[in-house]
Amino acid sequence: MSINASLPRLDWLRAFATFAEYRNFTHAARALGLSQPALHTQVKHLEEALETPLYRRDGRTLHLTEAGERVVGYANEVLGSMRSFVSEVRTGRDQRPVTLTAGEGAYLYLLGPSLEAFRRDHPEHPLRLLSEDRDTALESVRSGRADVAVTALAAAPTEAALEADLLSVVGISLAFRSDHPGLCDGGALSLDEVANAPLIAPPAGRPMRRLLEGAWLEHTGRPPEVAVEASGWPLMLEFVRLGLGVAFVNAFCAPPPGVALRPVHDLEPVSYWMLWRRRSTPASATVEALRRALARTSR
Amino acid sequence: MSINASLPRLDWLRAFATFAEYRNFTHAARALGLSQPALHTQVKHLEEALETPLYRRDGRTLHLTEAGERVVGYANEVLGSMRSFVSEVRTGRDQRPVTLTAGEGAYLYLLGPSLEAFRRDHPEHPLRLLSEDRDTALESVRSGRADVAVTALAAAPTEAALEADLLSVVGISLAFRSDHPGLCDGGALSLDEVANAPLIAPPAGRPMRRLLEGAWLEHTGRPPEVAVEASGWPLMLEFVRLGLGVAFVNAFCAPPPGVALRPVHDLEPVSYWMLWRRRSTPASATVEALRRALARTSR
DNA sequence: ACGTTATTATAGCTTTAAACGATAGTTTCG
DNA sequence: CGAAACTATCGTTTAAAGCTATAATAACGT
């Protein structure tokens, strides 16, 4: 009944956290400044302390188990909290950097004012801004490498480990050269009106591209013909300016001179969500429950 | 610019936490199953890692510094969270015991139904119930040994480290034998009406005793004459039943057969508070601020 | 198919550091 | 002022964490 079964060491948690990042002992060990065997035994110790396998081998690639995923998240949480506490005690004030991850588009067109405001109101906290695509960003939040992610999602994530808030819903607009014949005036466009213009689109596989392909098929009966592939709205808009074609972009984009936007009503608007890891101080939920129970006491 | 200055080890935190409990290296070391020098160096290492003295010597007695107080709290928090996480991973579910500390009176007359309800709604969480007096209970919460305290306080504590909720305000009643001449009927009593009855009161120095002495002086111009000292309302009520005198008790007390209660209006009612440690995941406040800043984003 | 490369996992040896016993140094108390 | 109670330090011992070397295994290229 291992009542006082030894706690895992923080070294082991850190070791496992960086191992989880690389999923490769050799590289992770180099990143930690350790030998590969040393890292290996640290992870092994952690597994023994938790009496649970944390990763699985499929041939030469290593996958985290479900328990492993939870442990990474907790490890990063505890390590981050510890680091910030230490620096807080040492310097007398909280200087923990806050890490935000988002896509380039969100930074350029959505988050600017908020970040300025945060910087102004909390100058004491360094702000680490990662630029990552949707999946990487979610993974960064899950694993605790980032505190908050902002990204476009079809719906709030159902994962229990994450909490989310809807930030903004933005429509899709068509970007075209101001001198484009036949597009310059009018309200919302339909897809058919632009079915024949050469198209600048994100690379195959990106979420926005898939959205486009679906809607195109539905409205015109055939897949879109993409003239130019470009990643990121600034590039797409630049290519529009150069006359390489038209592009579908989020309505919040600021078009460069010579480029105009018109809303498109056949495309679903995109929802931007802010996501963060549900803090798993496992105690707190229970303690909260007890507090609620007590608060029901005759008042 | 110690960017990666080594983190304190959990051993050191645990060592310091139990040292803080005893404020005595020798005893704490015995409690930990360590030699006194070993414990001493662990605490020293912690101080070096935090670059801050955690205790001070006044002759032979040791006091925690202010930083030391914060570190104990954080240490207990982190250790508790770690223990519960480990057992959660090992067993697959959260079994963290929740620790409540309160006085005997609160348990007997105030908290019963709430505790029953909590037990029914959360049978998976062991409940540890400590019986401590006010100061010890507060100290237990501050140091993280207990999750929640319930105790009578004149006002909400102003300490930044604690949060509090008012649970209940209860008046003071006089407990007397049902056959007492002249007391049996009527509404609220004044102090003068009972100034001559032999008095059963808590031992000198207890909060309730001090309250009584203050009010007595104010209303009758002289200190009360205490016939019997007894600690705890059950004992006091029992002595009332035996005819040793009358007693002032909280109105929520359940008098035994043969004993009656009547409210007393010259005595201030007593407020029962629930207190808990403000969770200091130092990150969370900042992250919260960032989230608020982002949420101000055009919606 | 077979050698080459990349990587995990184990073994033996070395080094680091944590624990211990002994003890000097302080303060308090009778 | 001596005894008792502790803290803090000093070598010494012991445990554990690191390193190099290497066996074992899977993927890859020719």
Side-chain angles (χ1 to χ4, degrees):
Chain A
M1 194 48 184
S2 52
I3 173 82
N4 205 9
S6 68
L7 290 177
R9 297 183 38 156
L10 291 183
D11 309 357
W12 303 347
L13 292 181
R14 185 178 32 181
F16 182 65
T18 64
F19 161 69
E21 207 168 321
Y22 292 85
R23 288 187 184 73
N24 174 318
F25 282 100
T26 312
H27 300 336
R30 186 166 17 245
L32 281 165
L34 276 183
S35 72
Q36 174 266 321
L39 172 60
H40 187 262
T41 55
Q42 289 207 11
V43 171
K44 196 173 188 176
H45 281 316
L46 183 60
E47 284 187 313
E48 284 161 7
L50 297 177
E51 297 172 3
T52 313
L54 299 177
Y55 68 98
R56 205 187 4 253
R57 254 184 102 157
D58 262 359
R60 204 161 72 195
T61 62
L62 306 177
H63 303 281
L64 299 195
T65 62
E66 198 178 334
E69 297 282 2
R70 296 182 53 207
V71 172
V72 199
Y74 182 73
N76 279 314
E77 192 174 305
V78 141
L79 291 169
S81 141
M82 182 70 71
R83 272 190 272 266
S84 81
F85 182 75
V86 169
S87 92
E88 199 181 319
V89 168
R90 278 208 278 235
T91 66
R93 66 182 189 286
D94 184 2
Q95 300 186 305
R96 175 180 200 266
V98 182
T99 303
L100 171 68
T101 176
E104 195 195 17
Y107 281 126
L108 282 176
Y109 307 115
L110 186 66
L111 300 176
S114 304
L115 293 179
E116 265 182 80
F118 179 76
R119 192 94 302 276
R120 189 177 54 245
D121 299 344
H122 300 276
E124 69 283 11
H125 292 293
L127 204 47
R128 286 182 52 218
L129 302 177
L130 308 182
S131 186
E132 298 177 320
D133 65 30
R134 174 195 303 190
D135 292 337
T136 321
L138 284 178
E139 184 51 35
S140 290
V141 166
R142 268 188 217 107
S143 71
R145 273 195 304 281
D147 297 301
V148 185
V150 171
T151 184
L153 288 179
T158 55
E159 281 179 70
L162 297 182
E163 289 184 272
D165 250 12
L166 182 60
L167 278 190
S168 179
V169 177
V170 301
I172 307 288
S173 289
L174 183 79
F176 55 92
R177 264 171 79 117
S178 314
D179 55 8
H180 193 109
L183 282 177
C184 291
D185 327 297
L189 285 164
S190 73
L191 273 192
D192 320 277
E193 295 180 69
V194 288
N196 295 317
L199 190 60
I200 303 171
R206 301 304 329 272
M208 182 66 176
R209 170 71 170 264
R210 273 204 290 266
L211 200 94
L212 202 55
E213 289 169 341
W216 208 273
L217 253 177
E218 189 182 330
H219 283 86
T220 70
R222 55 194 169 84
E225 280 172 42
V226 173
V228 176
E229 288 193 345
S231 32
W233 285 305
L235 266 191
M236 292 171 68
L237 289 169
E238 172 65 5
F239 295 156
V240 170
R241 194 182 69 82
L242 296 178
L244 305 186
V246 301
F248 293 98
V249 299
N250 284 4
F252 58 37
C253 287
V259 175
L261 298 188
R262 271 176 68 190
V264 178
H265 53 58
D266 290 341
L267 292 172
E268 280 289 312
V270 172
S271 299
Y272 275 82
W273 294 81
M274 153 171 80
L275 300 109
W276 63 95
R277 207 177 120 77
R278 195 181 294 284
R279 291 282 145 186
S280 75
T281 321
S284 60
T286 314
V287 173
E288 182 57 32
L290 173 64
R291 283 207 299 267
R292 271 196 304 272
L294 296 181
R296 259 182 259 126
T297 295
S298 66
R299 184 166 283 242
Chain B
M1 192 47 184
S2 52
I3 174 82
N4 204 9
S6 67
L7 291 176
R9 297 182 38 154
L10 291 182
D11 309 357
W12 304 346
L13 292 181
R14 185 179 30 183
F16 183 64
T18 61
F19 161 68
E21 208 167 322
Y22 292 84
R23 289 188 181 73
N24 173 318
F25 282 99
T26 311
H27 299 336
R30 185 167 15 247
L32 281 164
L34 276 182
S35 71
Q36 174 266 321
L39 172 61
H40 188 261
T41 57
Q42 289 207 11
V43 171
K44 197 172 189 178
H45 279 140
L46 182 60
E47 286 187 313
E48 283 160 9
L50 297 177
E51 299 173 359
T52 312
L54 298 177
Y55 67 99
R56 206 187 4 253
R57 253 185 104 157
D58 262 0
R60 203 161 73 198
T61 62
L62 305 177
H63 303 281
L64 299 195
T65 61
E66 199 178 334
E69 297 282 2
R70 296 183 53 207
V71 173
V72 200
Y74 182 73
N76 279 314
E77 192 173 306
V78 141
L79 291 168
S81 141
M82 182 71 70
R83 272 189 271 265
S84 81
F85 182 76
V86 169
S87 93
E88 198 181 319
V89 168
R90 278 207 278 234
T91 66
R93 65 182 190 287
D94 184 3
Q95 300 186 306
R96 175 181 201 265
V98 181
T99 305
L100 171 68
T101 176
E104 194 195 19
Y107 282 125
L108 283 174
Y109 306 116
L110 184 66
L111 300 176
S114 305
L115 293 178
E116 265 183 81
F118 179 77
R119 192 93 303 277
R120 187 177 55 243
D121 300 342
H122 301 275
E124 71 282 11
H125 292 292
L127 204 46
R128 288 182 51 217
L129 302 177
L130 310 181
S131 188
E132 298 177 321
D133 65 29
R134 173 194 303 191
D135 292 336
T136 320
L138 285 178
E139 185 51 33
S140 291
V141 166
R142 268 189 216 107
S143 71
R145 272 195 305 279
D147 296 302
V148 186
V150 171
T151 183
L153 288 179
T158 55
E159 279 180 72
L162 296 182
E163 289 184 271
D165 251 10
L166 183 60
L167 278 189
S168 180
V169 178
V170 301
I172 307 289
S173 288
L174 184 78
F176 55 92
R177 266 173 78 120
S178 314
D179 57 7
H180 193 109
L183 281 178
C184 292
D185 327 296
L189 284 164
S190 71
L191 275 189
D192 321 277
E193 295 180 67
V194 289
N196 295 317
L199 190 58
I200 304 172
R206 301 306 326 273
M208 183 65 177
R209 171 70 172 265
R210 271 204 292 265
L211 200 94
L212 201 58
E213 288 169 341
W216 208 271
L217 252 176
E218 189 182 331
H219 283 85
T220 69
R222 54 192 171 86
E225 278 172 43
V226 173
V228 177
E229 288 193 348
S231 31
W233 285 304
L235 268 189
M236 291 170 68
L237 290 168
E238 171 65 6
F239 294 156
V240 170
R241 194 182 70 82
L242 296 178
L244 306 185
V246 301
F248 293 99
V249 299
N250 284 4
F252 58 37
C253 287
V259 174
L261 298 189
R262 269 177 69 191
V264 178
H265 55 57
D266 292 341
L267 291 172
E268 281 290 309
V270 172
S271 299
Y272 275 81
W273 294 81
M274 154 170 76
L275 300 109
W276 63 94
R277 207 178 120 76
R278 193 182 295 282
R279 290 282 146 187
S280 77
T281 321
S284 60
T286 315
V287 173
E288 182 57 34
L290 173 64
R291 285 207 296 269
R292 271 197 304 272
L294 295 181
R296 261 183 256 124
T297 295
S298 66
R299 179 164 286 241

